[in-house]
Amino acid sequence: MARVMIVGAGGVGRVVAHKCAAQPEFSDILLASRTLAKCNQIAKDINSPKITTAALDADVVSNTVKLIQEFRPEILINVALPYQDLALMDACLETKVNYLDTANYEPPDVAKFEYSWQWAYQERFKNAGITAILGCGFDPGMTGIYTAYAFKHYFDEIHYLDIIDCNAGSHGQAFATNFNPEINIREITQNGRYYENGQWVEVPALSVHRPIDYPEIGFRESYLLYHEELESLVKNFPTIKRARFWMTFSENYITHLRVLEAVGMTRIDPVNYEGTQVIPLKFLKAVLPEPSSLAENYTGQTSIGCHIRGLKDGKELQYYIYNNCDHAASYKEVGSQAISYTTGVPAVVGALMLVQGLWKKPGVFNVEEFDPDPFMELVAKLGLPWHEVINGDSPFEA
Ligand code: NDP
């Protein structure tokens, strides 16, 4: 039996709290976040004697250290924002508590996605004898575990990796993002980037796109984006010749985004508004719907997976592995939409791997560096079953 501390009471935090409460391995759960009322609402909805709540500004390391010392968790699950990653890792180091997150650190003042800041904690975590599991949501997360599973069971060498992410759901709003709007818009308005023959190739934002056929959904226009798991996957699978990430957006979404960008509403530098410094993207976040509020009327499915090509016994092999998740079913189960659900379930499974000692080794690791088998078995049981297609049609050229 283990004690788990969850930081962040947004869409993903709700799923993580629900799923942790249902696991006999967790005896006590502390849900801590900036706004106590949000923690209390989630705790009320779950109605489990295991859960307590606390207010926490996780940007201040000493606040988190104090709470950890009082609660004494075995693991801290960080589902606040990427800005808090380093402060929470510092607090875990100080208290010798294991750490897990679902998104890599981003500095608030520059939209930059890379693992360097968190990988720099490797020696300190190792010396402290604690584990940090980085990027354990769906993408990053399941996509890295799918790749590790494919490598373990099907390939001698992986050559081509295309991660495809489709949200074919409908929430009925004119414009909304499925996870934190600030983080989401920073990610999408960046230049696209992919890996080819040892180099990173940069393309203008949303300039490369193609229709991709998704299971049970059909063709959807999919845009090449940079996504953080590409960085760790090409490092951990050095035979990869090309790695790309594709995500679907509707015409309507792209049109709104282009207008918001053109008028300056996606800027992350401060603007003087009547004597007050305002960051336009933060203001935009304040007027957009909260991702968690989309859940109630969301219909349709997500479909996320990996198309992989490579060699087995000298022969070409093509492999596709994916999960489809239904928004309405997620809402019925835990009160969240499928984007939060597909992020929260792997985070809980990662925490279970750690407390069961299966994914426990001192240092800082991306998910593909652990044994994928026990994770894959459990994640299917906890709500994210997966499907494989071997040597089927691929939308991607070699
Ligand atoms: P939300 O914006 O819904 O929730 C974020 C939560 O973090 C809010 O409760 C917020 O508090 C809290 N928070 C923000 N700043 C602080 C702080 N300084 N101290 C304490 N709490 C804080 O986001 P989501 O739930 O959609 O996303 C959570 C995380 O999951 C993000 O890092 C996101 O990037 C990641 N993610 C990962 C995915 C994956 O597949 N790997 C997919 C989707 C999301 P308040 O309510 O007061 O603002």
Side-chain angles (χ1 to χ4, degrees), residues 164-177:
I164 59 172
D165 177 334
C166 171
N167 178 13
S170 166
H171 49 56
Q173 301 277 345
F175 179 79
T177 63

Side-chain angles (χ1 to χ4, degrees), residues 9-35:
V12 181
R14 167 175 285 272
V15 178
V16 172
H18 261 271
K19 288 287 189 181
C20 282
Q23 306 314 310
E25 288 86 347
F26 295 124
S27 56
D28 298 88
I29 301 160
L30 174 64
L31 176 60
S33 192
R34 188 165 52 186
T35 311

Side-chain angles (χ1 to χ4, degrees), residues 7-13 32-35 38 56-59 78-82 84 102-103 135-141 178-181 183 285 290-292 339-340 342-343:
V7 181
V12 181
S33 192
R34 188 165 52 186
T35 311
K38 290 191 187 176
L56 171 69
D57 179 355
D59 288 327
N78 168 15
V79 282
L81 297 181
Q84 279 80 55
T102 67
C136 198
F138 207 106
D139 44 344
N178 295 294
F179 63 96
N180 186 279
I183 305 298
K285 173 187 182 285
E290 286 221 16
S292 54
I339 311 290
S340 306
T342 53
T343 309

